[in-house]
Amino acid sequence: MSWNTFGRIFRFTTWGESHGPALGAVVDGCPPGLAIDESMIQPFLDARRPGQSKFTTQRQEPDQVRILSGVFEGKTTGTPISLMIENTDQRSKDYSEVAKAYRPGHADYTYDAKYGFRDYRGGGRSSARETAARVAAGGVARLAIPEVTILAYVSEIGGDAIDPANFDADQIRANPFFCPDAQAAKRWEKIVDDARKAGSSVGAVVECVATGVPAGWGAPIYAKLDSDLAAAMMTINATKGVEIGDGFAAARLTGEQNADPMYPGNEGPRFSANHAGGIAGGISTGQPVVVRVAFKPTSSILTPMPTITREGEATELFTKGRHDPCVGIRGVPVVEAMMALVLADHKLLHRGQTGR
Ligand SMILES: Cc1cc2nc3c(=O)[nH]c(=O)nc-3n(C[C@H](O)[C@H](O)[C@H](O)COP(=O)(O)O)c2cc1C
């Protein structure tokens, strides 16, 4: 069974591999008449682009997006929008060892177990190059939800968290970590650089906040906004956990502590807290939608690790090639894209059922 499509009404399919000539996405179900051109999508790809600092992979990809279909006279036509990004900086020779043996923690063994054959160059389809395609699709999704503002940032690296008291949104694009706390960003330079120099890697937590989501998006039971968001985030490479609102911390609160008290307001209810992360009963409350995503440390590391060859022989493998010492950093634009894609889908689902 193959599964490369996400969404119900606002649907996208991604295609392509790390070392193929190009990769891309086909967005279907986009409302017609939205003003669009490449320059509205490119900034999100630029944020995800590799090789921008010594704290991310040194693979150099311009990640220029081209719109091939679904647009006429600068507007979406309602037909499939095909987006293409060329791969220009592949180095397949770096992967000769990975062809013979499995990287522990990567998808090499499981792809072989499933398909009996795999494109080992850069991890093939399991490479996070694929996330460039969804970031492009997310750029289109944002056009369908102009009422929503989405902001993601790294809140923790290598177990070192930001101090919420230092939160400054202007800092997020001012350092190489998408970090809203200038002091934490300084500390992370050493944490990530030490890991890189040691041939190791570190994990990270990415937090994403969507404001402007009106009350009512989402659906009960099997298409809850929170279950769709959790599924969307878990499709991102290297994610190992998703929390909505207070997430696991809510399990340690009392009912009084966890309540989001409501008061009459001028434009709908006013809430004095948001432990629920803007979602109750699978439906948005009108408060900011808050999601946190845990990224594991990069599995391709320079430290030799025990593994087996394709023939089942014991061996050791260290991964050459260019790898992110902390994949969560470049995960930030990807998390934002998945938030946009889920919200666009739910906006259209809500409109389809209620007419609003
Ligand atoms: C933006 C981004 C960049 C990544 N870069 C690398 C990398 O350079 N090296 C690596 O081994 N894994 C990298 N990964 C993670 C792998 O793609 C991922 O671990 C692998 O596909 C196995 O899937 P899983 O970790 O989701 O189980 C990256 C992930 C993201 C989100």
Side-chain angles (χ1 to χ4, degrees):
M1 176 62 126
S2 189
W3 212 260
N4 296 287
T5 300
F6 190 89
R8 295 181 178 81
I9 295 185
F10 193 105
R11 274 197 318 276
F12 72 100
T13 303
T14 68
W15 54 269
E17 297 82 27
S18 175
H19 285 44
L23 47 81
V26 178
V27 177
D28 204 359
C30 181
L34 302 178
I36 185 171
D37 65 29
E38 277 95 348
S39 72
M40 296 158 121
I41 301 170
Q42 192 59 47
F44 305 112
L45 283 158
D46 291 346
R48 197 213 70 99
R49 199 155 52 84
Q52 300 195 74
S53 82
K54 65 175 176 178
F55 305 108
T56 58
T57 171
Q58 291 308 298
R59 181 170 170 168
Q60 297 291 335
E61 289 287 356
D63 280 355
Q64 287 294 322
V65 66
R66 275 181 67 201
I67 300 174
L68 303 183
S69 68
V71 175
F72 180 61
E73 293 182 340
K75 289 197 178 133
T76 57
T77 58
T79 59
I81 301 170
S82 192
L83 305 156
M84 189 179 80
I85 301 152
E86 282 180 40
N87 288 323
T88 62
D89 187 22
Q90 309 96 317
R91 277 197 213 157
S92 301
K93 67 174 167 33
D94 286 344
Y95 291 90
S96 50
E97 298 300 317
V98 176
K100 295 183 215 136
Y102 302 123
R103 281 171 293 179
H106 213 289
D108 305 329
Y109 167 67
T110 51
Y111 270 53
D112 251 359
K114 184 170 183 66
Y115 301 109
F117 180 69
R118 84 194 137 98
D119 177 356
Y120 51 80
R121 302 163 309 158
R125 181 71 179 158
S126 74
S127 161
R129 275 298 292 152
E130 185 273 344
T131 62
R134 27 168 128 198
V135 168
V140 180
R142 285 176 194 251
L143 303 175
I145 48 168
E147 62 275 66
V148 177
T149 303
I150 297 171
L151 184 67
Y153 44 87
V154 179
S155 61
E156 189 175 319
I157 281 187
D160 183 19
I162 60 166
D163 180 349
N166 294 342
F167 190 99
D168 175 0
D170 291 338
Q171 279 297 318
I172 295 170
R173 294 289 191 269
N175 60 68
F177 303 106
F178 297 107
C179 177
D181 171 352
Q183 290 175 30
K186 267 259 134 323
R187 297 194 303 272
W188 294 353
E189 282 182 18
K190 179 162 166 47
I191 291 174
V192 179
D193 213 30
D194 284 355
R196 187 178 61 84
K197 285 183 188 146
S200 184
S201 60
V202 283
V205 177
V206 173
E207 191 161 288
C208 186
V209 182
T211 45
V213 178
W217 291 4
I221 317 297
Y222 297 120
K224 289 183 169 182
L225 185 55
D226 36 4
S227 65
D228 278 3
L229 281 170
M233 299 306 168
M234 287 300 291
T235 68
I236 303 172
N237 312 45
T239 57
K240 280 295 176 192
V242 180
E243 293 184 316
I244 311 285
D246 282 6
F248 274 64
R252 300 188 280 272
L253 300 179
T254 63
E256 304 80 54
Q257 290 167 329
N258 187 57
D260 293 332
M262 297 177 73
Y263 303 92
N266 293 334
E267 295 163 24
R270 189 171 59 78
F271 296 83
S272 62
N274 187 19
H275 299 285
I279 303 171
I283 298 170
S284 56
T285 62
Q287 293 222 80
V289 172
V290 183
V291 179
R292 254 182 315 282
V293 185
F295 284 85
K296 72 184 190 185
T298 322
S299 47
S300 301
I301 48 175
L302 282 167
T303 309
M305 298 298 292
T307 188
I308 57 168
T309 64
R310 290 199 74 196
E311 290 69 41
E313 303 289 329
T315 186
E316 277 201 333
L317 184 72
F318 67 92
T319 316
K320 288 183 253 167
R322 298 157 298 172
H323 296 278
D324 285 278
C326 175
V327 298
I329 300 169
R330 288 175 56 237
V332 167
V334 189
V335 168
E336 286 191 355
M338 294 313 291
M339 175 72 96
L341 287 155
V342 170
L343 292 177
D345 197 28
H346 273 283
K347 175 179 177 173
L348 299 186
L349 283 164
H350 178 63
R351 185 182 288 171
Q353 188 186 13
T354 67
R356 284 183 276 123

